[in-house]
Amino acid sequence: MTALTTLTRAQIKVFLREPVAVGFGLVFPAVLLLVIGNVFPDATEVSPALGNKSLVEIYAPAAAVLGLLTLGIAMLPQALGLDRERGILRRLAVTPAHPGLLVGAHLVVQAVAVTIGTAGAVLVGILAFDLPAPQRPGWFLLAFLLSCAALLSIGALLGALVPTAQTGVGAGMLLYFPMLFFAGIYLPLEIMPDGLQAFSARTPPGAAVQALSDAWAGATPTATSLLVLVATTIVAGGLATRFFRWE
């Protein structure tokens, strides 16, 4: 068994002992979609005001990005800050298991959790509200992978710099709530003013939602959305690697 496998298994156990992480990362995207579809009037009806989409159709991909933001932006910096605060990263540096493997284990667990949460949201949309399955599955998978890479890279960058878990919470939340807005959680992207909609589409969470929405609806994601996600991954991931503090 490799060191990465061992650390990943340990992080899975830690993750499953955190009810907030499990609830918001695995369950909440599907629950949010169920609430919207059953509470809001005419949530399953196509509306011209929503770009000829239903509210459920709009929030299905947004719910997936919500889970990714929660785990990657709100919780990953806290977890890495806690490892640093407890000296775990420093102690690993003198063992055959390089501390970078622990960071990798965190990222693997977060990515798997987000994948499960996204699958749950997709299934709820299909089974509970008769939404079609993503009509461009290849593009949907690519958009999802790029979204994971981009948003987890931002979380890793924050986690690379924060000295403690509490600082990680503060730094994560400072970005988390604005990112929810640009992901269209508070206000659907389709009804934002044109200028704000264009700006949101050029932010990582907005680009993620746009790319997933396009692929789900049967369109090819725009080059802008994909480039934003790729550029975010390269820049944030590169900075995280460059400035990561082990102590």
Side-chain angles (χ1 to χ4, degrees), residues 3 10 13 123 125 173 180 197 233 240:
K13 294 177 181 178
L123 288 175
M173 289 302 174
L180 289 182
Q197 189 176 140
T233 302

Side-chain angles (χ1 to χ4, degrees), residues 52-75:
N52 292 319
K53 297 180 180 179
S54 67
L55 196 61
V56 168
E57 189 177 355
I58 287 173
Y59 270 99
V65 175
L66 169 63
L68 181 52
L69 288 172
T70 301
L71 291 177
I73 305 299
M75 296 185 179

Side-chain angles (χ1 to χ4, degrees), residues 163-187:
T164 65
Q166 192 61 38
T167 308
V169 172
M173 289 302 174
L174 192 65
L175 277 183
Y176 179 66
F177 291 108
M179 283 191 166
L180 289 182
F181 176 80
F182 291 123
I185 301 299
Y186 305 141
L187 181 69

Side-chain angles (χ1 to χ4, degrees), residues 8 31 79 87 90-91 93 101 115 178 193 221 237:
T8 300
V31 170
R90 175 175 50 81
R91 290 196 295 271
L101 294 177
T115 301

